[in-house]
Amino acid sequence: MRKVGLKVAAAGIALAVATLVGGCSSIRDHRGYLIDQALLDSVQPGIDNRMSVEKTLGRPTFESQFGTKDWYYVSQQVKTPPFRKPRTDSQTVLRVRFDAANNVVAVDKRGAEQVARIDPDGHVTPTLGRHRSLLEDLFGNIGAVGAGGMGQAPQGPGPNGS
């Protein structure tokens, strides 16, 4: 009887360990445009135009804002390790360039080598003006309201004299 209990306990522990280890695996996800190589190969420079590209590839992820109105299709593979932030594992950017007559000039395919990695400063953003503490913000106007007396105009540097 005792051997059966040990076997059940061992099986329960093995199941718990397998569940915990399974929860520590990375999650892979796809974001953005799904690239179909057959559809991409069917877009031909000099033959296709904006309308045919939209019918073949769909609406772009975004369109360039300056210069020629190129279309961009962005595809990312994202990996999320356990207990950490997601990070981009691979990225592909398709650029469809058009001429003035809206005909396709070229289709470029690039990877993550063109991505600029920036590290923004997470500290305080400097601003103009007075640096006040929390207590000055909370209690700074005590005594200032009505201190000028009745009938007198405010004398402060602000636009309304405050």
Side-chain angles (χ1 to χ4, degrees):
M1 184 77 163
R2 184 168 167 98
K3 289 183 180 182
V4 173
L6 288 175
K7 288 182 181 179
V8 171
I13 291 173
L15 181 64
V17 169
T19 302
L20 289 174
V21 170
C24 292
S25 64
S26 296
I27 299 171
R28 296 185 63 82
D29 189 20
H30 179 9
R31 296 180 182 173
Y33 183 73
L34 291 171
I35 297 174
D36 185 356
Q37 193 62 38
L39 291 177
L40 185 60
D41 292 339
S42 69
V43 176
Q44 298 295 319
I47 298 172
D48 287 310
N49 57 21
R50 281 188 196 268
M51 188 179 300
S52 65
V53 170
E54 185 175 351
K55 287 181 181 178
T56 305
L57 300 178
R59 292 289 303 149
T61 307
F62 64 92
E63 184 176 329
S64 62
Q65 298 297 313
F66 303 103
T68 60
K69 298 296 183 182
D70 297 341
W71 284 4
Y72 293 90
Y73 297 87
V74 180
S75 174
Q76 289 182 335
Q77 293 292 332
V78 178
K79 186 176 182 181
T80 307
F83 311 111
R84 288 194 254 154
K85 293 180 181 177
R87 62 180 175 86
T88 302
D89 197 32
S90 66
Q91 176 173 309
T92 304
V93 178
L94 301 173
R95 179 176 73 167
V96 181
R97 294 187 294 154
F98 299 99
D99 61 8
N102 289 331
N103 294 322
V104 175
V105 174
V107 178
D108 305 327
K109 186 175 181 180
R110 305 238 174 163
E113 71 275 356
Q114 295 289 316
V115 176
R117 301 283 180 207
I118 59 170
D119 187 19
D121 186 11
H123 296 100
V124 178
T125 303
T127 60
L128 298 175
R130 241 177 97 196
H131 298 286
R132 302 189 319 188
S133 69
L134 176 65
L135 293 176
E136 287 176 323
D137 281 339
L138 291 174
F139 303 113
N141 286 334
I142 293 179
V145 178
M150 295 295 284
Q152 292 183 351
Q155 301 294 325
N160 60 355
S162 58

